[in-house]
Amino acid sequence: MDPNNPLPANLFRRQDETPDAEFYHHPRFVTHIDDRAIAAVTQLYREYFPPNADLLDLMSSWVSHLPAEVPYRRVVGLGMNKAELAANPRLESYVVQDLNQQPALPFADAEFDGAAICVSIDYLTQPVAVLSELARVLRPEAPLVITFSNRCFPSKAIAAWHALDDRGHLALVQQYLIAAGGWHAIELLDRSPLPPGRSDPLFAVVARKKAA
């Protein structure tokens, strides 16, 4: 068992094991959840990320779903496609990096006041290592907001994601955070727009960086 990923390796197998850089080579200027689910993501960010914060948008793309009316001191993106990241108007800077190949983050300790992973956690093959790194780069009590729905690229989502329902996904992400260490005040949230069935569902796991 990999000490950086203390969960069974078969959970992280994927239908398509070709290099992710090939899959994400061409930009996709689309949104992966509908407008009402996006609004639910934005509302979570409004609630958890303070104004004038330094934020990290992990697994970012051409849009970050941050509330337009809230000013942030700095937003840094890390994602797979340079063209998408370059087109994102909220990013002050960005890094192109495949977290499945290199989970170590190129940022200083305690550099950020908050971090987001939007509809992408299901693609990580080393989630415990990535979340451990996120704990390192966040300041004490900084929030991490992880959101997901019921959509994905099926060939790139891990086997465990396919095997679980929505509640199971919440529990799995919670288990990642516990295994990573450095997190507390973990919340499992259903922020699906109402009435049910009229839009994509939206679920969130929110945690805070433990103080030393």
Side-chain angles (χ1 to χ4, degrees):
M1 187 175 292
D2 184 348
N4 293 320
N5 204 23
L7 297 169
N10 64 324
L11 296 181
F12 302 98
R13 292 178 183 151
R14 299 173 298 170
Q15 297 169 17
D16 178 4
E17 293 289 7
T18 59
D20 290 342
E22 296 178 12
F23 185 82
Y24 294 103
H25 177 71
H26 297 290
R28 295 177 174 89
F29 293 106
V30 297
T31 52
H32 300 286
I33 48 178
D34 65 24
D35 288 346
R36 295 183 68 201
I38 289 171
V41 173
T42 301
Q43 180 57 31
L44 279 165
Y45 294 166
R46 193 177 282 118
E47 293 172 21
Y48 284 95
F49 295 149
N52 302 312
D54 296 312
L55 299 181
L56 175 59
D57 184 10
L58 203 67
M59 306 182 79
S60 184
S61 65
W62 66 284
V63 59
S64 292
H65 306 315
L66 292 164
E69 79 281 2
V70 179
Y72 301 103
R73 183 165 46 238
R74 181 172 63 122
V75 182
V76 177
L78 185 149
M80 288 289 293
N81 186 276
K82 183 176 181 179
E84 291 183 21
L85 294 167
N88 188 327
R90 295 305 294 264
L91 301 183
E92 177 186 280
S93 61
Y94 60 83
V95 176
V96 178
Q97 181 172 323
D98 182 352
L99 293 173
N100 288 339
Q101 293 294 319
Q102 176 52 272
L105 298 177
F107 307 113
D109 294 356
E111 185 170 343
F112 297 99
D113 300 304
I117 303 177
C118 183
V119 296
S120 299
I121 190 75
D122 41 321
Y123 304 123
L124 287 177
T125 60
Q126 301 185 69
V128 173
V130 171
L131 293 174
S132 179
E133 275 288 283
L134 270 175
R136 178 184 64 79
V137 304
L138 289 187
R139 295 168 185 144
E141 298 302 325
L144 166 63
V145 179
I146 301 170
T147 51
F148 51 89
S149 185
N150 60 355
R151 294 195 196 185
C152 66
F153 296 123
S155 65
K156 284 297 185 181
I158 63 167
W161 204 262
H162 287 293
L164 296 169
D165 60 11
D166 297 325
R167 296 295 170 187
H169 295 154
L170 287 165
L172 179 65
V173 176
Q174 180 183 38
Q175 185 59 42
Y176 290 166
L177 290 161
I178 293 168
W183 301 100
H184 77 125
I186 300 172
E187 301 175 77
L188 309 183
L189 305 174
D190 182 348
R191 289 297 188 91
S192 301
L194 296 174
R198 300 264 183 102
S199 71
D200 293 330
L202 197 283
F203 304 94
V205 179
V206 180
R208 290 190 180 271
K209 161 71 178 289
K210 278 184 182 177

